[in-house]
Amino acid sequence: MEPEEQTPETPIEQEEQAPQTPVVQQEPIAEPPVEPDEEAPETPPTPDSEELRIGVFVCHCGTNIGGFVDVPAVVEYVKTLPNVAFARDNLYTCAEDGLTAIRDAIKEHKLNRVIVASCTPRTHAPLFQGVCEEAGLNKYLFEFANIREQCSWVHMKEKEDATRKAKDLIKSSVSKAALLVPQEEMKVDVVPRSLVIGGGVAGLSAALSVARQGFDVHLVEKEGVLGGFTRNLNSLSLGDKSAEDTIKPLIEHVQAHENITVHLNSQVESVSGFIGNFDTTIVTNGSSKEVKVGTIIVATGALEYIPEGLYGYGMYDNVVTLTEFEILCKSGKLPKIKNVAFIQCVGSRGQDKSYCSRICCVISIKNALYITENFAEIMGEEGAERVEVDVSVPEISSRRRRRRRMVSAEGEAAPGPAPTGGPEITIFNRDVTTYGADHEVYYNKAREKRIRFVRYTTDNLPKVTQEGDKLVVNYYHETLKTERKLQADMVVLATPLIAPPDAADLSKKLKIPIGRDGFFLEAHMKLRPIDFATDGIFVCGTARGPADITESVAQGLGTASRAAIPMARGFIQAEAILAQVDPEICTGCGTCEANCPYGAIRLSDDGVAEVLAAACKGCGCCGATCPEKAIQMMNYTDDQLLAQGRSILQGAM
Amino acid sequence: MTEFEPKIVGFLCNWCSYAGADLAGVSRYQYPPEIRIIRVMCSARVDPMIVLTLFKEGADGIMIGGCHIGDCHYISGNYHTEKRAFVIRRLMEKAGLEVDRFRLEWISASEGERFASTVAEFTEKIKELGPSKVMEDSDLASRVGAAVDTSLDFRIRALLGHEVGMIEDGNVYGEKKTEDEMREIIDAAIEDEFRRSLILEITSSKPASAKELSQVTKLPTDRIVEHIATLRQKNLLAVDHIEGMTPYYVALRVGGD
């Protein structure tokens, strides 16, 4: 096989049909199939019968580009490129006069492709695409060249090279623009119904909020009761009501709401479809029910880490986890205890799990305070405060740290149980994470109550042993640099919240990602914290990582509002960067179906692959592995990518 | 003589590596200017055929950048990319192209500095390797051409497409393969298909005997004869003429009219 000839890319002009305005094709199927036939003459690819008229707008971006790239020279070069009908520079293309220049040029010069060479498409493509549409040009006929972030800003000392690179990058975009094809975005109706998976505080809040916005909700809970993890808890930090009383109204409102159908003892068996049209199957005690929903909220919660084999857990009865401690308190089974040691960060922060569970410091302090308040009579003299803490300036962290160190040393002045026979509550910690104003006050309150905070490091973990019938915590005192012992009636281990093992199963059913630690992974850490990359599916509460009730509720309400957007609108517009199957070439082998992470391509009854446009995200994985090369990605076709690559290999000049 | 300026193409995924390259810009991390970036939505979009074709047409270096494993915007795209990179490297080896001319890197949106240093390092490497000899060495060119053809082979692509599934979910009978077993299967398939593509590549310009093919491909004659049999069965190769007792084969063109 001979290498393909590189003929100059001049378009075949068909005068008779050259339209005055760009024609938006009704059928975007017009993408010419790739012909691997080596005999085929190198006909310049013309997606339309119309003459190609590319307009290029090169931005100075003030001096951001203009200072490091010779923009006028670039413009002169661009004018010589094939199919370029118009090129100019702008001081700021994204400013109003820059946008007007694009609009005017499209009309005046009958441009049917537009390229902006400026910053990054990641931030500015939508703006320029919008301008193209205003001027009657399909937005998929717009192409970007990034000559700021990927050129002028990174080659600030090599103006000549940077100028040449800018030329190359624009040339590459021009070669792609010549092959662009207009695309129609598809409108898909959205079923005004939500599926909420998980009946804990996050799911309850989400369900109630969606229902109150006027949409139907199906709430699926795998247990026989609503309330989730919170049902284990005795009291809540910063609240005077019990955990049960706190969430009771929420549960009652959910149960009473006419828009909400609660499925207890139920699981989501299968999910297919895409935003607006998910087909789900809910299984309750063996019988299944089909429900069609428009959006899905994942609120499946978390479990407590069981510290098997750590600090005597499982060996000594009086070594319990934080949650077990809550359960003991709640059921009134907590023995009369005087000396309690809390050990923080058990199994977290690098021990087994890598992350900090965030909420355990506050919970341990809450429980320590609970002991001092409810077992006061056996806890010795309450008023014997030795440490005066100024709670009015809690924000300065360096100060807090210094104080904590000082206080730890001081609190440790009397080793072992206090001679008065009074209370000894010790919180062994690596760092105390009582973030936020309220929690810091809580921490200070604990200090006032003479709860001791003793720091340990991972080099010297405390050890729990039993001497006689007493538990003993052996630890290394970081300040005094000595080994010490502490007798304890009970040792409470603060273990992290962990992702439930069935999360992986749900992840597969819903095609939503799981992060390194097994929690669900949001679409964007900062800007899209409760969305999934898959449209129409949202996540809230501890399913996405350790969170307290306030945060879980806030996230639940957040997902409800996110889910309401497409449902209130009634339809979605599917982006047209899609896989497209050529049914003539497809042999129905199903490789694409096996590769699609969204279930967006499947074998139709005709035995060829079909794309579910609303579900396809346009990644292109299917196309790059299709054994027959029957799949192309719109806007990223093989021809377009190869044209870009080839123009780069030829280089400017 | 001016200094060698390598032609380096970078395919970056929109969500991580391209954003990482943008961050390098925003942070003004300077790096060598030779690389030219092409944006794709996902690194899994980059068909091995595209990479190998650009090598065939004279690229000095090609880099694919994707999200870190586990962070793919499209859930698992980069996992597939990794599998494809294996095939790209294997075919480069077989074609006699320096494997270091190709690089796959995971660069997140927050790793601007790493993007800059990776490009600097890669550019340096390519400069060390010198210009690609594909354009002047016709043997090399036909081997790289065979590599492109192999990347378009149905069997290789189907195997690649099912590799992840075979490892994680098994075949229709539920039999799973380990990563190593799959690699072995794919490796063997690549070896066969590459040799066959090479035979077709060579015989497409001039009829050749089994012995000649054996010399050029450095394969024992009996293996060549096996490949010839397979290719003839598939109607891709035919006897052109016979000299004395020796048949000379020629590639049959497929497709077209």
Side-chain angles (χ1 to χ4, degrees):
Chain A
M1 196 170 92
E2 288 296 308
E4 284 169 320
E5 282 176 58
Q6 300 294 338
T7 52
E9 312 259 312
T10 44
I12 296 170
E13 293 181 20
Q14 296 191 349
E15 291 296 335
E16 46 166 0
Q17 274 226 315
Q20 294 302 298
T21 46
V23 173
V24 177
Q25 289 196 331
Q26 287 308 308
E27 295 162 317
I29 318 158
E31 180 59 23
V34 189
E35 270 291 327
D37 184 358
E38 57 272 28
E39 281 179 331
E42 186 80 319
T43 35
T46 44
D48 287 322
S49 53
E50 60 182 330
E51 178 198 4
L52 282 168
R53 296 184 64 82
I54 301 176
V56 183
F57 299 84
V58 187
C59 189
H60 286 264
C61 194
T63 56
N64 281 303
I65 296 170
F68 310 97
V69 166
D70 185 348
V71 173
V74 171
V75 172
E76 286 315 306
Y77 169 76
V78 169
K79 283 180 180 166
T80 68
L81 292 174
N83 305 322
V84 172
F86 177 77
R88 64 163 286 175
D89 55 346
N90 298 97
L91 188 57
Y92 288 103
T93 313
C94 59
E96 194 43 51
D97 56 339
L99 300 178
T100 309
I102 298 178
R103 258 187 299 254
D104 292 349
I106 291 176
K107 296 201 174 107
E108 199 179 316
H109 299 275
K110 304 184 185 68
L111 303 179
N112 50 22
R113 305 287 186 279
V114 168
I115 294 171
V116 171
S118 61
C119 45
T120 170
R122 288 176 49 84
T123 56
H124 280 65
L127 177 70
F128 298 127
Q129 285 176 327
V131 170
C132 288
E133 292 210 304
E134 282 170 33
L137 191 64
N138 183 287
K139 75 179 207 188
Y140 293 91
L141 298 177
F142 171 81
E143 183 59 25
F144 223 110
N146 183 338
I147 60 166
R148 189 181 74 176
E149 275 84 344
Q150 296 180 8
C151 189
S152 70
W153 276 352
V154 287
H155 313 307
M156 299 173 98
K157 296 193 182 94
E158 305 126 312
K159 190 163 184 172
E160 214 173 289
D161 286 337
T163 302
R164 203 136 41 94
K165 179 166 181 175
K167 290 176 183 175
D168 267 5
L169 292 173
I170 298 172
K171 187 177 173 226
S172 158
S173 294
V174 168
S175 66
K176 179 174 176 184
L179 300 171
L180 289 175
V181 176
Q183 305 292 334
E184 286 295 298
E185 294 191 337
M186 212 175 63
K187 225 171 166 183
V188 183
D189 287 338
V190 174
V191 176
R193 191 177 300 120
S194 253
L195 172 70
V196 178
I197 310 171
V201 280
L204 291 167
S205 309
L208 192 56
S209 176
V210 172
R212 282 177 174 168
Q213 293 176 73
F215 305 107
D216 282 348
V217 179
H218 284 263
L219 176 62
V220 175
E221 167 58 49
K222 69 175 170 190
E223 305 284 331
V225 277
L226 294 174
F229 197 90
T230 314
R231 285 188 302 113
N232 296 321
L233 306 182
N234 175 43
S235 59
L236 301 177
S237 68
L238 305 171
D240 41 15
K241 274 193 202 159
S242 73
E244 208 169 318
D245 289 347
T246 309
I247 63 164
K248 207 168 146 198
L250 186 57
I251 295 174
E252 285 169 356
H253 282 127
V254 165
Q255 283 167 333
H257 206 290
E258 55 176 7
N259 288 357
I260 303 178
T261 313
V262 178
H263 303 263
L264 295 175
N265 299 310
S266 303
Q267 304 251 22
V268 175
E269 169 80 5
S270 71
V271 178
S272 65
F274 43 85
I275 178 171
N277 299 277
F278 290 107
D279 293 305
T280 68
T281 312
I282 300 167
V283 174
T284 310
N285 296 326
S287 65
S288 63
K289 185 176 159 56
E290 310 277 320
V291 179
K292 199 167 176 71
V293 297
T295 54
I296 298 175
I297 294 172
V298 176
T300 45
L303 298 175
E304 183 190 38
Y305 176 83
I306 303 298
E308 215 58 71
L310 294 174
Y311 301 101
Y313 183 87
M315 210 186 317
Y316 313 123
D317 287 347
N318 277 7
V319 177
V320 297
T321 67
L322 260 183
T323 309
E324 290 165 349
F325 183 82
E326 296 270 355
I327 295 167
L328 286 173
C329 291
K330 190 181 175 189
S331 56
K333 300 261 173 61
L334 188 72
K336 295 281 180 198
I337 44 176
K338 287 169 87 171
N339 307 322
V340 183
F342 288 86
I343 301 179
Q344 299 302 107
C345 306
V346 174
S348 60
R349 298 181 65 201
Q351 267 192 305
D352 181 358
K353 303 294 171 185
S354 61
Y355 53 91
C356 163
S357 189
R358 295 174 81 237
I359 57 172
C360 352
C361 284
V362 175
I363 298 176
S364 289
I365 290 175
K366 175 201 78 181
N367 285 324
L369 286 170
Y370 179 82
I371 298 168
T372 61
E373 278 154 19
N374 290 280
F375 296 84
E377 71 278 11
I378 59 161
M379 284 296 172
E381 307 135 76
E382 230 197 334
E385 285 171 290
R386 282 201 329 201
V387 187
E388 287 290 340
V389 180
D390 180 10
V391 295
S392 62
V393 279
E395 290 88 356
I396 308 158
S397 61
S398 60
R399 204 185 141 105
R400 194 199 313 165
R401 251 181 269 125
R402 205 180 326 126
R403 187 171 66 219
R404 193 177 300 150
R405 273 200 302 275
M406 264 159 48
V407 166
S408 308
E410 209 173 337
E412 201 43 34
T420 55
E424 284 297 330
I425 300 178
T426 309
I427 298 183
F428 290 95
N429 62 81
R430 283 170 60 188
D431 305 280
V432 178
T433 305
T434 48
Y435 56 95
D438 291 340
H439 289 158
E440 181 68 3
V441 172
Y442 221 53
Y443 167 74
N444 287 331
K445 192 171 166 193
R447 301 284 340 159
E448 283 169 36
K449 297 284 183 187
R450 297 190 61 198
I451 291 162
R452 297 188 309 171
F453 289 83
V454 175
R455 192 157 179 273
Y456 73 88
T457 66
T458 46
D459 295 335
N460 289 298
L461 296 176
K463 285 179 194 67
V464 178
T465 55
Q466 192 154 22
E467 288 177 17
D469 58 348
K470 281 280 183 192
L471 288 173
V472 174
V473 182
N474 305 277
Y475 64 100
Y476 181 77
H477 198 287
E478 285 295 321
T479 313
L480 302 178
K481 306 284 179 215
T482 53
E483 300 282 346
R484 298 181 80 83
K485 278 184 181 189
L486 179 84
Q487 263 193 12
D489 299 325
M490 181 174 267
V491 173
V492 184
L493 306 180
T495 60
L497 286 178
I498 55 166
D502 50 2
D505 190 37
L506 193 63
S507 142
K508 277 195 178 153
K509 281 180 195 160
L510 290 177
K511 313 257 182 190
I512 47 176
I514 288 186
R516 194 183 43 208
D517 297 308
F519 293 107
F520 289 109
L521 194 67
E522 65 275 9
H524 189 283
M525 194 194 283
K526 300 220 183 295
L527 299 177
R528 296 177 65 194
I530 51 176
D531 294 359
F532 280 113
T534 307
D535 291 333
I537 310 182
F538 309 92
V539 62
C540 59
T542 50
R544 65 176 289 284
D548 67 13
I549 288 180
T550 316
E551 292 158 348
S552 298
V553 170
Q555 289 171 18
L557 298 176
T559 51
S561 111
R562 297 290 291 149
I565 294 172
M567 295 197 291
R569 207 165 158 221
F571 66 90
I572 49 136
Q573 200 114 11
E575 180 138 22
I577 297 179
L578 303 176
Q580 209 163 75
V581 180
D582 185 335
E584 296 295 314
I585 304 178
C586 177
T587 52
C589 69
T591 309
C592 50
E593 194 174 353
N595 275 257
C596 179
Y598 301 99
I601 193 163
R602 64 181 178 204
L603 287 184
S604 70
D605 298 337
D606 309 337
V608 294
E610 65 173 358
V611 178
L612 304 168
C616 175
K617 307 287 277 178
C619 64
C621 191
C622 56
T625 196
C626 171
E628 296 287 9
K629 290 219 62 75
I631 304 174
Q632 283 298 327
M633 301 315 299
M634 295 300 92
N635 260 33
Y636 294 89
T637 63
D638 285 339
D639 282 354
Q640 288 165 358
L641 296 183
L642 279 172
Q644 281 191 282
R646 283 174 176 148
S647 82
I648 288 167
L649 296 186
Q650 287 158 14
M653 312 283 149
Chain B
M1 172 107 191
T2 48
E3 203 198 339
F4 163 52
E5 276 183 42
K7 294 188 172 95
I8 302 175
V9 181
F11 289 97
L12 303 185
C13 81
N14 181 58
W15 308 97
C16 292
S17 301
Y18 194 91
D22 279 349
L23 181 64
V26 173
S27 327
R28 310 294 198 278
Y29 291 124
Q30 306 296 297
Y31 55 83
E34 287 84 355
I35 191 167
R36 307 284 185 259
I37 288 161
I38 297 175
R39 184 168 70 116
V40 288
M41 295 312 280
C42 179
S43 60
R45 165 69 192 92
V46 187
D47 195 316
M49 177 274 287
I50 292 177
V51 173
L52 294 163
T53 302
L54 292 180
F55 274 127
K56 184 184 154 197
E57 295 181 12
D60 296 309
I62 297 177
M63 179 175 135
I64 297 179
C67 307
H68 285 274
I69 292 290
D71 281 345
C72 178
H73 182 81
Y74 299 104
I75 304 174
S76 55
N78 48 9
Y79 197 31
H80 296 279
T81 310
E82 199 174 32
K83 307 284 175 213
R84 288 170 201 164
F86 170 78
V87 171
I88 292 173
R89 291 202 184 94
R90 263 296 184 277
L91 285 169
M92 288 175 77
E93 264 170 36
K94 299 216 182 286
L97 208 56
E98 299 93 336
V99 178
D100 286 346
R101 292 190 186 276
F102 171 73
R103 189 175 281 212
L104 173 63
E105 287 284 345
W106 308 137
I107 294 164
S108 81
S110 62
E111 293 177 326
E113 192 172 5
R114 208 170 90 76
F115 177 80
S117 64
T118 303
V119 171
E121 199 191 304
F122 186 49
T123 309
E124 193 49 45
K125 183 83 214 168
I126 299 301
K127 282 186 175 169
E128 251 171 57
L129 290 170
S132 163
K133 293 175 193 64
V134 170
M135 299 316 262
E136 57 236 40
D137 180 344
S138 62
D139 275 355
L140 179 61
S142 76
R143 285 198 303 271
V144 179
V148 175
D149 294 347
T150 312
S151 74
L152 285 166
D153 177 76
F154 184 95
R155 178 156 73 125
I156 303 297
R157 296 177 72 89
L159 274 171
L160 251 184
H162 290 288
E163 184 177 7
V164 175
M166 284 295 291
I167 293 166
E168 284 179 0
D169 306 319
N171 61 12
V172 285
Y173 306 108
E175 299 164 346
K176 290 189 187 182
K177 294 274 179 221
T178 66
E179 204 138 344
D180 289 342
E181 284 169 335
M182 274 316 284
R183 282 266 148 105
E184 240 171 75
I185 293 170
I186 291 178
D187 239 353
I190 290 176
E191 167 64 20
D192 285 350
E193 297 304 338
F194 176 75
R195 294 301 163 199
R196 287 172 201 158
S197 298
L198 192 56
I199 291 171
L200 291 177
E201 190 79 30
I202 295 165
T203 52
S204 68
S205 51
K206 179 171 149 283
S209 67
K211 200 171 173 191
E212 284 170 4
L213 287 169
S214 161
Q215 277 161 1
V216 181
T217 60
K218 296 183 182 67
L219 270 190
T221 328
D222 54 336
R223 291 290 297 143
I224 290 288
V225 170
E226 275 176 43
H227 288 316
I228 287 173
T230 311
L231 288 169
R232 290 187 65 179
Q233 230 169 32
K234 288 188 181 174
N235 240 347
L236 294 169
L237 195 73
V239 176
D240 183 71
H241 63 279
I242 296 174
E243 285 178 22
M245 294 289 282
T246 316
Y248 279 73
Y249 299 94
V250 66
L252 294 175
R253 304 225 156 171
V254 279
D257 298 324

